[in-house]
């Protein structure tokens, strides 16, 4: 392919409006020709905000790995999106911090993720998945996002807060969707992209803080209570920090699994042979199948770092203060690492599939990756065993340079008879 045929200006929303195949061709060209490529500044998030810096696009698996594992040079503290959002840490918790501050937060939270707690959360997850499919399966047709893929992580995430009220669960789900959809026209009525994001994070933050205070007084059997009580070397998170952490999870835990599930249903519908192979031995094959779907369609397209000093990456000079964007959607299809990278092949073992959907390794590698995979496994099992002839239509994709999101996904199947 010639460079004239490829528009490498991935800064504008116009680029992201194009079909996914155009994005894939562009990233393939960049990997092969300009693996560390300079891009102009993105469109401003708000008329009052100067989104004035351009950024380096890092598209090769090895380079994403190198940057992710070197926080001394590539910092997260100045922001993790291409777009510049002000007051980051008050909205996004420790994902926008560097060691040693990051390490102490992550250690405290990790204390809450004990095997006993994880087991309890997994049991809850499986129960919630079943309940959602109990409602969806008898319906026979509808938007799979509304009926299932949004509902499952929304309810699971609400259970992390200890929330049981249906209206409040719906509020959390809708606000979490808004948080990741700052550029999508569905939310333009709220205001500029910055206002859409800030409105969602502040509403989630308020709700999370209220629940964190409540759990501190009356701890329950939920993740928020465990995080509130967790201590590492005598340090605990303040109630405000717990609140902000749960607002981060709204995007990190909720939206990611929601969009992954929708992509999986689409991928298996497009590849019935792979679905049949999976269902011959679901428990033996589901882990590899889920990793392969995450490789093909990582729900988070990028995270960003900022260079703390002049440095070099794959022969390219990077200056102190430059933004460096790690394209997980590109690294996960790098032909130097994956054979036939554009082919869904659930026979790839984990060893053959070091995809970057959960990041490139290093201190920020997804804390919830095991939980996410468990949730997706339970969801696929219930759907594929109870909605066996499910037909999936065209996905309506979110307009975003960050979230590889599916807003709507039509589905049709033989309704399950209510017992
Ligand atoms: C398919 C689902 C998911 C995907 C694809 C995903 C992906 C990611 C990615 C790419 C990162 C950043 C990695 C980096 O910058 O190096 C991340 C961070 C994080 N994820 Fe996930 N995630 C998922 C589900 C979850 C779940 C279910 C939870 C929690 C229960 C979770 C909690 C977090 C947290 C807390 C961070 C920040 C970690 C840090 O900064 O130390 N994620 N995730």
């Amino acid at each position: 392919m010639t460079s004239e045929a490829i528009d490498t200006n991935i800064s504008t929303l116009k680029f992201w409006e194009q079909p996914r195949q155009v994005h894939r061709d562009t990233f393939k060209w960049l990997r092969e020709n300009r693996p560390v490529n300079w891009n102009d500044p993105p469109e401003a998030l708000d008329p009052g905000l100067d989104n004035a810096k351009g950024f380096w696009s890092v598209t090769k698996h090895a380079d994403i790995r190198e940057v992710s594992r070197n926080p001394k040079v590539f910092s997260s503290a100045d922001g993790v999106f291409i777009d510049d959002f002000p007051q980051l840490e008050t909205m996004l918790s420790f994902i926008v911090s560097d060691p040693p501050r990051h390490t102490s937060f992550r250690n405290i939270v990790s204390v809450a993720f004990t095997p006993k707690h994880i087991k309890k959360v997994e049991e809850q997850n499986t129960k919630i998945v079943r309940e959602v499919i109990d409602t969806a399966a008898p319906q026979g047709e509808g938007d799979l996002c509304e009926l299932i893929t949004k509902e499952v992580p929304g309810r699971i995430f609400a259970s992390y807060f200890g929330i049981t009220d249906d209206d409040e669960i719906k509020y959390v789900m809708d606000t979490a969707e808004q948080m990741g959809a700052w550029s999508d026209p569905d939310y333009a009525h709220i205001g500029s992209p910055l206002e859409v994001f800030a409105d969602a994070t502040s509403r989630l933050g308020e709700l999370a803080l209220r629940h964190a205070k409540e759990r501190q007084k009356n701890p329950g059997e939920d993740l928020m209570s465990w995080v509130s009580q967790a201590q590492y070397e005598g340090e605990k998170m303040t109630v405000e920090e717990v609140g902000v952490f749960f607002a981060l999870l709204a995007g990190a835990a909720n939206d990611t699994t929601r969009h992954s599930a929708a992509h999986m249903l689409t991928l298996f519908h497009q590849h019935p042979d792979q679905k049949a192979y999976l269902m011959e031995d679901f428990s033996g094959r589901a882990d590899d199948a889920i990793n392969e779907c995450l490789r093909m369609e990582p729900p988070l397209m990028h995270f960003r770092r900022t260079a703390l000093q002049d440095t070099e990456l794959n022969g390219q000079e990077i200056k102190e203060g430059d933004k460096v964007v790690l394209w997980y959607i590109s690294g996960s299809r790098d032909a130097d690492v994956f054979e036939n990278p554009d082919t869904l092949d659930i026979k790839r073992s984990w060893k053959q599939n070091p995809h970057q959907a959960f990041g490139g390794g290093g201190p920020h590698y997804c804390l919830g990756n095991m939980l996410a995979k468990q949730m997706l496994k339970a969801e696929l099992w219930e759907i594929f065993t109870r909605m066996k002839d499910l037909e999936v239509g065209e996905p309506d994709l979110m307009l975003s340079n960050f979230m590889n999101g599916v807003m709507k996904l039509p589905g049709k199947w033989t309704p399950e008879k209510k017992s």
Side-chain angles (χ1 to χ4, degrees):
M1 198 168 296
T2 62
S3 64
E4 294 80 59
I6 289 289
D7 175 10
T8 57
N9 181 9
I10 61 179
S11 309
T12 62
L13 281 179
K14 231 176 158 162
F15 173 81
W16 295 101
E17 271 167 4
Q18 300 177 86
R20 282 287 189 260
Q21 194 51 47
V22 176
H23 307 159
R24 285 180 199 129
D25 291 344
T26 305
F27 282 110
K28 183 169 186 286
W29 189 89
L30 285 171
R31 284 194 300 276
E32 288 168 1
N33 296 281
R34 280 192 238 138
V36 183
N37 184 52
W38 182 252
N39 288 101
D40 290 337
E43 286 133 313
L45 287 171
D46 188 84
L49 202 72
D50 180 15
N51 215 4
K53 289 198 86 178
F55 58 95
W56 293 105
S57 272
V58 181
T59 49
K60 291 288 291 175
H61 189 279
D63 297 336
I64 293 172
R65 211 179 121 87
E66 185 180 329
V67 172
S68 302
R69 289 163 195 241
N70 191 356
K72 281 201 174 117
V73 175
F74 298 104
S75 162
S76 296
D78 261 0
V80 288
F81 308 131
I82 290 177
D83 297 306
D84 283 317
F85 288 95
Q87 298 174 326
L88 274 169
E89 205 178 309
T90 54
M91 300 205 266
L92 286 173
S93 188
F94 59 76
I95 199 165
V96 283
S97 67
D98 294 324
R101 183 173 169 72
H102 171 265
T103 320
S104 58
F105 269 122
R106 183 141 172 159
N107 284 341
I108 296 170
V109 171
S110 299
V111 167
F113 282 66
T114 59
K116 189 174 135 224
H117 288 164
I118 292 287
K119 190 162 179 285
K120 172 121 195 32
V121 171
E122 287 185 352
E123 283 165 9
Q124 260 171 8
N125 291 354
T126 308
K127 182 168 169 281
I128 290 171
V129 170
R130 263 194 217 123
E131 286 165 359
V132 170
I133 305 301
D134 285 347
T135 307
Q139 304 207 23
E141 68 179 310
D143 174 11
L144 295 164
C145 294
E146 278 308 314
L147 287 173
I148 303 175
T149 62
K150 184 172 169 187
E151 200 73 14
V152 166
R155 288 185 176 271
I156 286 175
F157 178 60
S159 78
Y160 292 173
F161 283 73
I163 295 176
T164 48
D165 176 75
D166 269 350
D167 288 340
E168 211 173 15
I169 291 175
K170 171 122 183 45
Y171 178 84
V172 172
M173 284 193 284
D174 290 344
T175 319
E177 173 178 285
Q178 180 186 325
M179 188 175 166
W182 61 81
S183 312
D184 196 90
D186 279 5
Y187 286 98
H189 62 280
I190 294 173
S192 69
L194 175 67
E195 284 162 341
V196 173
F197 182 78
D199 174 67
T201 46
S202 78
R203 286 194 292 122
L204 273 169
E206 270 166 35
L207 181 129
L209 181 60
R210 184 157 50 77
H211 281 278
K213 284 182 175 160
E214 172 57 28
R215 292 299 162 282
Q216 212 173 41
K217 270 194 251 145
N218 301 305
E221 283 294 291
D222 52 70
L223 198 63
M224 184 174 256
S225 301
W226 300 327
V227 171
S228 307
Q229 288 158 359
Q231 285 197 32
Y232 186 82
E233 292 182 346
E235 279 198 72
K236 267 179 94 164
M237 274 159 106
T238 65
V239 73
E240 285 77 17
E241 286 162 348
V242 173
V244 178
F245 172 65
F246 275 81
L248 161 69
L249 284 192
N254 188 27
D255 279 7
T256 48
T257 36
R258 163 194 167 168
H259 298 304
S260 300
H263 285 300
M264 285 182 190
L265 294 180
T266 309
L267 283 167
F268 280 115
H269 180 66
Q270 290 164 345
H271 298 88
D273 55 321
Q274 303 267 318
K275 183 178 167 191
Y277 177 76
L278 167 66
M279 296 314 287
E280 277 167 24
D281 176 12
F282 186 87
S283 58
R285 295 176 183 168
D287 290 338
D288 288 342
I290 285 165
N291 277 315
E292 175 64 352
C293 292
L294 287 168
R295 184 188 72 77
M296 292 288 284
E297 296 286 0
L300 298 178
M301 299 201 268
H302 79 259
F303 265 129
R304 176 194 129 200
R305 304 291 190 262
T306 305
L308 291 176
Q309 62 189 60
D310 292 355
T311 185
E312 201 199 281
L313 182 66
N314 199 352
Q316 176 61 56
E317 216 180 278
I318 310 265
K319 291 271 172 225
E320 180 183 342
D322 282 357
K323 291 180 182 178
V324 177
V325 174
L326 312 176
W327 289 104
Y328 305 133
I329 43 168
S330 174
S332 294
R333 287 185 184 230
D334 187 337
D336 284 349
V337 179
F338 306 98
E339 230 182 290
N340 300 323
D342 296 323
T343 304
L344 178 83
D345 178 4
I346 68 167
K347 287 187 183 156
R348 288 179 213 268
S349 66
W350 173 240
K351 262 200 178 145
Q352 298 160 313
N353 190 3
H355 66 76
Q356 295 181 320
F358 293 116
H364 293 280
Y365 190 75
C366 178
L367 182 69
N369 74 88
M370 299 303 281
L371 264 185
K373 287 190 261 194
Q374 186 272 337
M375 226 185 272
L376 291 166
K377 196 167 164 177
E379 202 169 341
L380 280 190
W381 172 252
E382 289 295 316
I383 296 173
F384 286 168
T385 52
R386 295 173 61 184
M387 297 159 66
K388 287 193 178 114
D389 57 352
L390 174 66
E391 295 274 332
V392 175
E394 266 308 294
D396 171 13
L397 298 176
M398 183 187 282
L399 175 58
S400 169
N401 64 13
F402 175 66
M403 190 68 81
N404 178 14
V406 182
M407 301 296 276
K408 290 195 182 81
L409 186 66
K412 238 180 164 184
W413 61 96
T414 304
E416 187 180 61
K417 291 201 176 67
K418 284 191 178 162
S419 48

